[in-house]
Amino acid sequence: MEYEQVTPKSYPVDLIKKDWSLRKLYFHSPTKTMPDAIHDMEVLEDDVWLITNPKCGTTWMQELLWLLMNDCNFEAALSKDLELRSPFLEFEFLLSRDVEKALKIVEELPSPRVIKSHLPLALLPAQLWQKKAKVIYVFRDPKDAWISGYYHGLTVGLRHGTTMEQYMEELLEKETDKENPVLHAIEFYQLRNEPWVYYTSFNQMKQNLRGVIDDLCKFLNKTVTEQQMERLLKHLSFEEMKKNPTTNHLWEYARIRMPNKGKVVYNFTRSGKVGGYKEELSPELIAKADRHIDEILQENQVTLDQLLLLD
Ligand code: A3P
C-alpha cells in the first residue's frame, strides 16, 4: 500500500501534551484533500466513534455498539449489512478517491451515528476532541492483528502469492513506520480515563464480553434487560458472527476490485483467537515482531500488557 506523509491542520494539543510536530502521520496515497476534509468534518454530540487499528475486533465491537445504540434491534441488524448501518469513514475514499462522495455517506447517516475509523488520533476530525463525542477504542496484540490482516489481504487479492514470512518481513521493514499500531493505541490509552473515551482490548472482549457490555451501557447511558443481554452474548459469539451475512463484510467485499480477489478465500470471522500468531509464525519472526513492538513501547514507557489491559 502507498502512503503519503501528511500534516494535519491542527493537533489535539489540549488533550495530549507532546511535541506533535515529531509525530509522523501518513494517509493512503494519493491523499487528495481527504485529510483536511476529515479534519474539518462536523461531529455531532450524540455520535459514537469506534477507532481501532485494522483487524483488532472492530466489527465485533461495531455490531455491539450499533445494537446498543439501536435498542437491541436484532431484526434490523440481521437485515442490513453492518457497513450500511455504521460506515467505515475511509472506505469509500480508498475505493473511489472521491472526497465528497466518501464524506456524504457519513453526513447523511441518521443520528445517533456509529462511525468506524482506523485513523490515528491526530487525523480524526478536530471536533471530536472539541465536542468530546463518545469514542470507543479496541486494542489487540499487533502480532494477532497482523496475522489476521494477512488472511484478509489474501482474500481481497492484496497479498496474492505472498507467503506469511514475506508478508511479515515486508510489514516490519516498511509498513510499521507508516501505520504503527502501538503508537496508534498509546494515544488512546493515554485518554482512557477521559469520560468520553472507553478503551478496551480484544482480550477483555474474549475474557468477559458481559463485563464489556455492562461497561458500555454505563458509558453510553443505555440499559439492557437480562433477556437482551443473553441475546447479545449469543449474537456476538464467534460461532454466530461467523455465519451472520451482515457482519462478514460481504457488502465491502463485493465492492473491492482487485485482480486476484477471491483466488484464496478465508472467512472474515476467521479464527478469533488470542495468541493465534504462535501457531503461524516461526520463533525468529515472533522475536523480530516483538523487537519492533518493544522499541515503541519502551520509548513511550508503557508495556504491551498495559495496552491490552492485562496489568
Ligand atoms: P482473526 O482473523 O484473527 O480471526 P476487524 O473487524 O477489526 O477487521 O477484526 C477482525 C478479527 O476479529 C478477525 O480475527 C475476526 O475473526 C475477529 N472477530 C470478529 N468477530 C469475532 C467474535 N465474535 N469473536 C472473536 N473474534 C472475532
Side-chain angles (χ1 to χ4, degrees):
M1 241 180 274
E2 297 297 319
Y3 296 88
E4 252 173 67
Q5 193 169 347
V6 291
T7 306
K9 286 168 84 176
S10 74
Y11 290 99
V13 283
D14 294 336
L15 274 188
I16 297 178
K17 303 269 173 264
K18 69 174 185 182
D19 188 349
W20 280 102
S21 64
L22 299 178
R23 173 71 162 105
K24 286 189 180 159
L25 296 159
Y26 295 85
F27 202 93
H28 298 279
S29 180
T31 60
K32 299 207 165 171
T33 54
M34 190 64 170
D36 285 352
I38 293 178
H39 178 277
D40 293 344
M41 251 181 92
E42 186 179 12
V43 170
L44 306 177
E45 308 270 346
D46 59 356
D47 276 354
V48 174
W49 287 69
L50 170 60
I51 316 296
T52 59
N53 284 302
K55 314 312 292 175
C56 286
T58 324
T59 311
W60 192 11
M61 176 56 91
Q62 199 179 1
E63 178 73 346
L64 166 57
L65 291 175
W66 189 88
L67 281 163
L68 291 180
M69 296 306 292
N70 289 277
D71 302 321
C72 289
N73 190 341
F74 291 97
E75 286 62 40
L78 287 164
S79 61
K80 194 171 181 180
D81 290 294
L82 177 58
E83 302 95 317
L84 300 175
R85 290 180 275 127
S86 165
F88 171 18
L89 179 63
E90 303 92 284
F91 183 74
E92 181 56 44
F93 177 76
L94 293 179
L95 288 190
S96 66
R97 303 288 156 175
D98 185 330
V99 177
E100 223 171 281
K101 191 172 165 198
L103 294 187
K104 208 165 161 205
I105 294 170
V106 177
E107 284 160 4
E108 288 182 347
L109 199 68
S111 286
R113 311 184 297 181
V114 179
I115 302 162
K116 156 187 162 181
S117 175
H118 292 316
L119 292 174
L121 179 66
L123 293 185
L124 286 166
Q127 285 193 13
L128 196 62
W129 58 82
Q130 289 158 0
K131 291 193 179 169
K132 304 200 182 331
K134 296 271 191 289
V135 170
I136 289 90
Y137 191 89
V138 184
F139 181 63
R140 186 182 194 188
D141 186 326
K143 299 187 288 301
D144 278 336
W146 286 328
I147 300 299
S148 180
Y150 173 70
Y151 288 108
H152 184 64
L154 282 184
T155 305
V156 298
L158 193 66
R159 310 280 181 195
H160 186 69
T162 311
T163 64
M164 174 73 84
E165 288 68 29
Q166 289 166 337
Y167 159 78
M168 282 300 293
E169 294 285 359
E170 194 177 321
L171 183 131
L172 295 174
E173 287 307 318
K174 292 194 212 141
E175 283 192 30
T176 44
D177 287 346
K178 311 287 187 296
E179 276 193 355
N180 192 293
V182 180
L183 269 184
H184 191 287
I186 285 171
E187 288 166 351
F188 289 91
Y189 180 75
Q190 282 180 268
L191 298 176
R192 70 195 180 284
N193 295 322
E194 292 280 338
W196 53 284
V197 176
Y198 179 72
Y199 178 103
T200 189
S201 66
F202 191 86
N203 303 56
Q204 288 223 320
M205 292 176 72
K206 287 286 285 187
Q207 272 164 19
N208 184 9
L209 189 58
R210 180 184 278 267
V212 171
I213 298 175
D214 280 337
D215 285 350
L216 279 171
C217 283
K218 283 189 209 118
F219 178 70
L220 298 169
N221 252 328
K222 299 284 173 195
T223 45
V224 292
T225 63
E226 182 51 29
Q227 210 180 4
Q228 286 171 326
M229 175 64 94
E230 294 293 336
R231 188 151 180 208
L232 278 172
L233 291 171
K234 183 160 190 287
H235 181 90
L236 295 165
S237 68
F238 181 80
E239 295 68 30
E240 289 291 315
M241 282 201 49
K242 194 172 178 100
K243 59 184 189 209
N244 181 348
T246 71
T247 55
N248 274 285
H249 296 272
L250 303 179
W251 180 85
E252 264 177 19
Y253 183 73
R255 307 205 51 223
I256 293 172
R257 303 258 170 272
M258 294 230 194
N260 292 313
K261 182 178 102 166
K263 291 201 174 146
V264 190
V265 175
Y266 290 88
N267 202 318
F268 183 88
T269 316
R270 187 187 58 91
S271 100
K273 287 186 193 161
V274 168
Y277 71 87
K278 292 176 196 156
E279 298 157 24
E280 306 269 357
L281 298 179
S282 65
E284 292 74 26
L285 261 178
I286 294 177
K288 191 167 180 181
D290 278 334
R291 278 198 299 278
H292 267 77
I293 294 169
D294 286 345
E295 200 180 305
I296 309 287
L297 290 170
Q298 278 167 20
E299 276 169 18
N300 290 278
Q301 294 164 348
V302 66
T303 66
L304 191 61
D305 277 1
Q306 283 174 325
L307 292 184
L308 291 168
L309 302 180
L310 300 174
D311 235 15

